[in-house]
Amino acid sequence: MADQDEDLVDVDPYAPAEPETTIPVFKGLCAPSGYATKRQLRAMGLRPGGQEPVAEVETRGPKNGLLYEIAKARPVHPMTLAKEFALDKAMGARQTCDTYRRRYFFVLPTSLASCLGCHDASQLHRSPGRTPAGRVKASRPGSAGARSRAPQHRQEAGALLPHPFEIRRTPA
């Protein structure tokens, strides 16, 4: 019976296969020199280059900032004309109104697929029996206002209507 007890080994099935390694955590501005965050590396023209973080720095938020060794960092890939063209094309798709193909300096909401002026104008034409204030028009049976019309597109006789935000100046 004593021989059987010596052969048994206590095994923890939840123990990690490899020993867990922890990295040091530094207070806000107490990180040693030679370490930098991704933003600091980017400001220096460097990138982490595939290296694992070597330390953490405490922040005010729920996540800590990861620190990388500056000596192991690699230079950032330079911006080529092809990359710049691709990024401009992608941003242009997010900043262009689908109705008038006009590009803005800000990103348009994807839920609207147009600028706010075109979206507001299309909402006026969505329900033909409503006025801009949202009230229902009073109409008699058989009158022109009683029949329902399809929503009008912002184009009449092949000419585009002026954009809602466009300011027209009259010649003096």
Side-chain angles (χ1 to χ4, degrees):
M1 189 93 169
D3 293 334
Q4 290 177 347
D5 289 339
E6 292 176 12
D7 294 338
L8 296 177
V9 177
D10 187 23
V11 177
D12 185 5
Y14 300 107
E18 298 175 3
E20 293 182 16
T21 58
T22 58
I23 56 178
V25 178
F26 297 104
K27 297 285 183 194
L29 298 174
C30 298
S33 61
Y35 294 154
T37 63
K38 280 186 181 180
R39 285 188 181 202
Q40 291 169 339
L41 288 175
R42 180 62 68 160
M44 292 183 240
L46 301 171
R47 61 186 171 94
Q51 65 173 311
E52 295 293 323
V54 293
E56 290 184 10
V57 61
E58 286 185 353
T59 60
R60 288 189 212 163
K63 296 176 78 176
N64 287 342
L66 300 176
L67 295 173
Y68 300 91
E69 288 185 52
I70 297 175
K72 292 182 182 178
R74 295 184 181 161
V76 174
H77 296 294
M79 178 68 72
T80 62
L81 286 175
K83 277 186 184 180
E84 188 174 355
F85 179 75
L87 288 173
D88 185 55
K89 187 175 177 182
M91 285 304 295
R94 296 176 65 198
Q95 295 172 339
T96 304
C97 174
D98 288 344
T99 307
Y100 285 102
R101 306 303 304 162
R102 180 172 288 162
R103 186 168 175 176
Y104 293 92
F105 291 109
F106 53 89
V107 177
L108 299 174
T110 56
S111 60
L112 304 180
S114 63
C115 66
L116 296 175
C118 291
H119 176 71
D120 291 343
S122 69
Q123 293 298 316
L124 292 177
H125 297 294
R126 181 165 287 193
S127 55
R130 297 207 177 262
T131 63
R135 295 185 298 269
V136 177
K137 291 182 189 175
S139 60
R140 297 176 305 197
S143 69
R147 66 175 182 249
S148 66
R149 293 184 289 161
Q152 292 180 352
H153 190 59
R154 298 188 53 83
Q155 195 173 21
E156 288 181 3
L160 287 174
L161 295 175
H163 192 271
F165 292 145
E166 190 172 303
I167 298 173
R168 299 226 177 216
R169 296 183 186 197
T170 57

